[in-house]
């Protein structure tokens, strides 16, 4: 395992467990007519066994691009230009190719792709796709694999026999999304990545799926990354939060603390805009301005400065590095974390089932 890189020094999260995944100084660019533009810039983050990390940010902030880098699966015209992704027992996946890379996908890292409800093969039953998956990973005990998939289906509230015998078009969007999660878990991967796992679901199915993810995560001691634009979802499930903006991780730390005392102005705005966290839809305020895309993203200085209430001249000039401002808490901001900043803009939790109130 490598040390944190100097660019974003000390991005490793505090905690006793060794990291299952260490992302260091990761930059991913897409080739466009305007040249190579970075969708992820110098990102560093650890995923630890037993912890659910939530990766959150507005649409286009680079979450999926970062997550796909964990599989070394950023599609062309994207490519990783700096950094590494060390996975325990595997090594740096950004250097893997061919058969070793294919084997790592699925067996070490289970992945549910964004819009995975549309990613099943329409011409094969789910059961047939499960067997294909097993064969491609040289699973010898295919009956055992089917049994395990059946158990996972039942836990997801799915009728296993029916599901395994069905084609994609015979299943609802919510069922397909849950099957995606079953297929990501069935090979016993130790790292689980879920990209927008509940987007296609209504609120009730969303809560049920999050419950199952949480319990399978706990039972198997997984290192889980949940990628979502929905602060409400991560506030309910994550132990740690990483907040992305314009390809940067602008803040990360323990979820409860970060939600109670957000430090980066973007995190504060994001939380303030989430009715589910603020508790009162009347108090939730939408973020002013538009998130940048690759072509409008500032090439110099802080990427958030145009929307930032704390912007200063230095923010025009230099891109703030992610650094530890208090033990276990990281932020990328030139403004000093003033005492007033620490008193979060989030009202105190009022109900017992408030997700923030439930945390240690
Ligand atoms: N194939 C591509 N070619 C060019 N630009 C791309 C490509 N894929 C993504 N991008 C750009 O990279 C940036 C990051 O995209 P990404 O999909 O990683 O964001 P995201 O945070 O996952 O967004 P969402 O919440 O909408 O899923 C966006 O500006 C997007 O337009
Ligand atoms: Mg995405």
């Amino acid at each position: 395992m490598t040390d944190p890189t100097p660019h974003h020094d000390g991005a490793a999260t505090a905690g006793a467990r060794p990291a299952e995944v260490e992302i260091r100084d990761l930059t991913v660019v897409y080739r466009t007519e305007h040249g190579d533009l970075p969708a992820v810039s110098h990102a560093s983050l650890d995923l630890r066994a037993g912890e659910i990390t939530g990766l959150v940010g507005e649409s286009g902030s680079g979450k999926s691009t970062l997550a796909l880098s964990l599989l070394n699966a950023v599609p062309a015209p994207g490519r990783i230009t700096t950094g590494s992704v060390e996975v325990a027992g595997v090594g740096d996946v950004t250097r893997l190719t061919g058969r070793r890379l294919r084997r790592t996908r699925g067996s070490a890292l289970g992945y549910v792709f964004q819009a995975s409800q549309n990613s099943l093969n329409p011409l094969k039953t789910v059961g047939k796709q499960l067997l294909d998956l097993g064969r491609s990973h040289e699973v010898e005990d295919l009956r055992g694999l089917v049994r395990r998939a059946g158990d996972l289906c039942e836990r997801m509230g799915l009728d296993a026999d029916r599901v395994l015998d069905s084609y994609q078009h015979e299943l609802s969007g919510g069922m397909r999304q849950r099957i995606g999660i079953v297929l990501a878990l069935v090979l016993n991967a130790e790292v689980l990545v879920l990209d927008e796992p509940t987007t296609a679901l209504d609120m009730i199915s969303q809560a049920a799926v999050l419950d199952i993810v949480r319990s399978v995560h706990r039972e198997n001691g997984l290192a889980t990354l949940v990628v979502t634009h929905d602060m409400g979802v991560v506030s309910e499930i994550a132990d740690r939060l990483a907040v992305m903006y314009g390809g940067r991780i602008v803040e990360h730390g323990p979820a409860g603390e970060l939600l109670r005392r957000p430090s980066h102005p973007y995190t504060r705005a994001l939380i303030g805009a989430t009715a589910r966290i603020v508790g009162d839809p009347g108090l939730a305020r939408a973020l002013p301005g538009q998130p940048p895309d690759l072509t409008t993203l500032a090439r110099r200085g802080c990427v958030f400065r145009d929307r930032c209430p704390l912007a200063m001249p230095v923010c025009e000039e230099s891109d703030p590095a992610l650094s530890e401002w208090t033990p276990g808490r990281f932020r990328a901001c030139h403004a000093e974390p003033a005492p007033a900043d620490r008193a979060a803009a989030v009202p105190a939790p009022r109900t017992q089932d408030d997700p923030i109130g439930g945390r240690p």
Side-chain angles (χ1 to χ4, degrees):
M1 292 275 150
T2 55
D3 286 334
T5 58
H7 184 89
H8 283 171
D9 55 318
T13 47
R17 286 169 188 269
E20 280 294 313
V21 180
E22 284 186 2
I23 304 166
R24 289 292 176 271
D25 196 38
L26 186 77
T27 300
V28 185
V29 303
Y30 287 105
R31 172 146 294 175
T32 73
E33 58 192 28
H34 306 282
D36 281 356
L37 300 177
V40 174
S41 286
H42 302 289
S44 298
L45 187 69
D46 286 353
L47 306 182
R48 292 173 193 281
E51 281 183 357
I52 299 182
T53 301
L55 180 63
V56 71
E58 286 167 291
S59 184
S61 55
K63 305 179 299 293
S64 294
T65 305
L66 174 61
L68 285 165
S69 306
L70 270 57
L71 290 181
N72 195 0
V74 178
R79 100 197 126 82
I80 295 172
T81 55
T82 71
S84 58
V85 178
E86 293 277 342
V87 176
V90 174
D92 181 1
V93 294
T94 68
R95 294 178 185 281
L96 293 185
T97 51
R99 189 156 168 268
R100 270 207 74 201
L101 179 59
R102 278 196 301 279
R103 291 208 54 157
T104 300
R105 295 174 179 166
S107 55
L109 278 141
Y111 202 105
V112 181
F113 293 91
Q114 187 164 2
S116 63
Q117 69 272 20
N118 303 321
S119 68
L120 290 168
N121 183 334
L123 303 176
K124 292 183 176 180
T125 63
V126 173
K128 180 80 178 57
Q129 290 176 66
L130 173 68
L131 293 176
D132 288 351
L133 179 72
R135 287 193 195 102
S136 69
H137 283 87
E138 289 160 35
V139 173
E140 283 174 12
D141 180 11
L142 288 174
R143 277 174 197 276
L145 185 77
V146 173
R147 238 187 346 263
R148 183 167 156 74
D151 289 348
L152 285 164
C153 281
E154 300 291 343
R155 293 189 57 180
M156 295 270 175
L158 299 168
D159 176 341
D161 290 339
R162 191 193 138 202
V163 159
L164 292 176
D165 211 24
S166 295
Y167 291 89
Q168 171 180 299
H169 69 270
E170 295 168 324
L171 302 161
S172 72
M175 289 167 101
R176 296 203 292 260
Q177 198 145 23
R178 279 178 277 178
I179 291 162
I181 298 174
V182 168
L183 294 177
L185 287 167
V186 76
L187 292 173
N188 280 326
E190 277 155 11
V191 181
L192 175 63
V193 180
L194 303 151
D195 193 349
E196 304 284 357
T198 60
T199 310
L201 306 177
D202 58 74
M203 288 295 275
I204 293 173
S205 318
Q206 203 177 84
V209 166
L210 290 180
D211 261 359
I212 298 155
V213 167
R214 193 166 20 218
S215 63
V216 176
H217 160 87
R218 277 204 193 123
E219 270 164 37
N220 298 348
L222 303 178
T224 299
L225 181 69
V226 175
V227 176
T228 174
H229 65 279
D230 186 340
M231 199 66 166
V233 165
V234 284
S235 73
E236 282 172 29
I237 196 169
D239 303 303
R240 276 180 192 282
L241 281 182
V243 181
M244 271 191 102
Y245 189 85
R248 273 73 169 169
I249 293 179
V250 294
E251 178 160 12
H252 78 79
E257 275 183 44
L258 197 145
L259 290 166
R260 263 192 299 269
R261 296 194 299 136
S263 175
H264 194 284
Y266 178 62
T267 314
R268 259 186 261 154
L270 206 56
I271 291 173
T274 310
R276 212 150 134 191
I277 299 178
V278 173
D280 179 347
L283 288 178
R285 271 198 305 269
L287 245 74
Q290 289 294 318
D293 62 33
L294 293 190
T295 55
T296 57
L297 199 63
R299 303 280 186 101
R300 192 166 166 204
C302 174
V303 283
F304 186 57
R305 65 171 188 265
D306 291 342
R307 297 171 84 188
C308 181
L310 306 178
M312 305 176 286
V314 64
C315 310
E316 302 276 335
E317 301 301 325
S318 90
D319 189 6
L322 190 70
S323 60
E324 195 169 17
W325 60 281
T326 191
R329 297 279 310 268
F330 296 80
R331 74 205 283 273
C333 183
H334 288 304
E336 282 298 310
D341 290 352
R342 297 173 195 228
V346 186
R350 274 169 285 184
T351 57
Q352 229 186 355
D353 56 1
D354 184 296
I356 307 169
R359 284 176 194 286

